[in-house]
Amino acid sequence: MLFFKKKTPFCTAFHTSVVVDPDKGVRPCCAYEGHLGNLGQGTLREVLEGESWSDAVRQVESGSVPAGCERCLRRERTTGWSVRTMYMKEARSIRDGAWRKGLTELEINSSSICNLACTHCSVAFSSRWVKQVHALEAMGVPHQRAVEDHVHAPDPVAMRAQLEELDLSHLQIARFKGGEPMLNEDVPVVLGYLDEIGVLGRVTVNMVSNGTIVDKTVLDLLRRAGEVSMCLSVDGIEGVQEYIRRGPSEIPRIERFIEAFAQLPNTRFVMSCSVMAYNVHHLDRIADWWNGHARRWPDKFGRHRFGLIVLEPALLALHVLQDATREALRAKYAALDNADYSPVLQALAQPWAGADEHDRWVAYTRGVDQLSGTRADELIPELADELVPLATPR
């Protein structure tokens, strides 16, 4: 696949961004499939200067799409949004040309420690999933997750040493995801180092948190950042939130988190709502909840766009719902204006996944419900008719 060669490559992530994952794998962005190095075998600087990274840069500069980028482009075609569009349309480094000078974006996801086991997550990004994956395996429940026993822990001393080798003088954005960044000991070390070298005050910190824990050290350091974009992972209201996120994630707890960080003058909130089969009936209620906070803090909350559509694991995606259900949902959200539902409408228009994938989702739901003592059809009564196997038993 080739793109028309332009002065600016079709994606600048390889030139200007680096991500460290919980297993210490290194890649250019969170959407890239695979890694181009690992901190267990070399330093961050060595990875960025290594042959694998350089080869990927040569590909994008020639107009080719590296294999690790193909899923990102599929998402873009399916939903109209992708990480690539974020880099190319929203990044300040594109507008001011800083992407040509050096690293402008740093993303630290260096620990899998988390207090939740969200149904669309995995062992790779949540320590709470380790036991649950083994339980699902023992029950024969489909789940599309690797079976691992390893919890990826932070290493603050090593992380600081890695950063000391880099030129961060052009840094514009520092991202922290998970695991849960409020439980990652690397996060205050990275923020403190950026403050020490004099760049934190002009950096935008993007943090994706489940909003259940307030770390006072992190709170105080964020006060010194140029801007803070606090992205809250909220996937439902009332019991649907706790059903999807599997842990102490009740809405009142998240509202206490909002209250604490809303006191920072440089902080704005955005919402990360992973749209999937379990919550697609209730997106309007999530939007209403969000808009309530926007009325209280109009300078800190903006209009929400439901752009994060779950495509993997496929058994949770909207396409497991049958045609009549998806058509009814399209009509519902096409008539609403309390949020931007355009990505949802685009995803609902995709072809049905078929009876087999639908039934994998039903089996997964029943297995997780059995494991956790929950009932999806009671918490989400709109799904009662869907949560019935369709395939003819052999």
Side-chain angles (χ1 to χ4, degrees), residues 53 67 78 90 94 109 129 132 145 148 155 196 206 208 269 286 306 311 339 356 365 383:
W53 200 284
T78 301
E90 303 169 24
I94 294 293
N109 314 320
W129 260 108
Q132 295 203 36
R145 293 177 177 89
E148 300 177 18
D155 189 340
E196 184 181 320
N206 290 340
V208 179
F269 294 90
I286 298 172
F306 286 98
L311 301 180
D356 288 344
T365 303
L383 291 179

Side-chain angles (χ1 to χ4, degrees), residues 210-245:
N210 59 38
T212 66
I213 297 169
V214 176
D215 183 290
K216 189 177 184 304
T217 301
V218 172
L219 178 67
D220 290 341
L221 282 165
L222 290 180
R223 197 182 307 274
R224 303 157 76 106
E227 297 178 4
V228 178
S229 177
M230 183 61 71
C231 184
L232 296 173
S233 298
V234 178
D235 296 325
I237 299 298
E238 300 169 349
V240 178
Q241 163 76 359
E242 295 163 68
Y243 181 83
I244 291 174
R245 303 200 70 84

Side-chain angles (χ1 to χ4, degrees), residues 139-154:
M139 295 166 61
V141 176
H143 58 83
Q144 295 183 329
R145 293 177 177 89
V147 181
E148 300 177 18
D149 294 312
H150 189 62
V151 174
H152 302 294

Side-chain angles (χ1 to χ4, degrees), residues 4 35-36 83 101 125 138 156 169 171 182 199 221 245 269 300 338 359 385:
F4 181 71
H35 293 108
L36 298 175
V83 172
K101 301 175 183 178
F125 293 97
S169 61
L171 196 68
M182 293 292 166
V199 303
L221 282 165
R245 303 200 70 84
F269 294 90
K300 295 184 179 294
N338 64 343
D359 288 358
D385 291 340

Side-chain angles (χ1 to χ4, degrees), residues 64-227:
S64 299
V65 179
C69 299
E70 291 174 354
R71 182 171 65 178
C72 180
L73 291 177
R74 286 198 301 273
R75 171 177 289 278
E76 190 172 320
R77 295 187 190 103
T78 301
T79 69
W81 179 91
S82 69
V83 172
R84 187 193 80 86
T85 62
M86 180 179 69
Y87 276 97
M88 303 308 295
K89 296 180 181 179
E90 303 169 24
R92 190 165 83 237
S93 64
I94 294 293
R95 297 192 296 272
D96 63 18
W99 73 271
R100 303 176 187 278
K101 301 175 183 178
L103 282 176
T104 64
E105 304 198 21
L106 175 70
E107 183 171 317
I108 303 297
N109 314 320
S110 55
S111 168
S112 65
I113 295 174
C114 188
N115 59 335
L116 305 182
C118 303
T119 193
H120 48 299
C121 195
S122 66
V123 172
F125 293 97
S126 171
S127 54
R128 284 283 299 270
W129 260 108
V130 172
K131 290 183 179 179
Q132 295 203 36
V133 167
H134 284 283
L136 293 177
E137 283 285 305
M139 295 166 61
V141 176
H143 58 83
Q144 295 183 329
R145 293 177 177 89
V147 181
E148 300 177 18
D149 294 312
H150 189 62
V151 174
H152 302 294
D155 189 340
V157 174
M159 180 56 67
R160 180 185 170 97
Q162 296 283 357
L163 297 183
E164 287 176 346
E165 289 195 3
L166 301 180
D167 175 10
L168 298 176
S169 61
H170 304 291
L171 196 68
Q172 296 181 351
I173 296 175
R175 290 191 176 90
F176 301 93
K177 299 179 184 175
E180 168 53 43
M182 293 292 166
L183 294 173
N184 184 351
E185 294 174 357
D186 288 348
V187 171
V189 167
V190 174
L191 290 171
Y193 178 71
L194 296 181
D195 191 32
E196 184 181 320
I197 64 175
V199 303
L200 183 61
R202 59 175 172 77
V203 163
T204 296
V205 175
N206 290 340
M207 185 169 291
V208 179
S209 173
N210 59 38
T212 66
I213 297 169
V214 176
D215 183 290
K216 189 177 184 304
T217 301
V218 172
L219 178 67
D220 290 341
L221 282 165
L222 290 180
R223 197 182 307 274
R224 303 157 76 106
E227 297 178 4

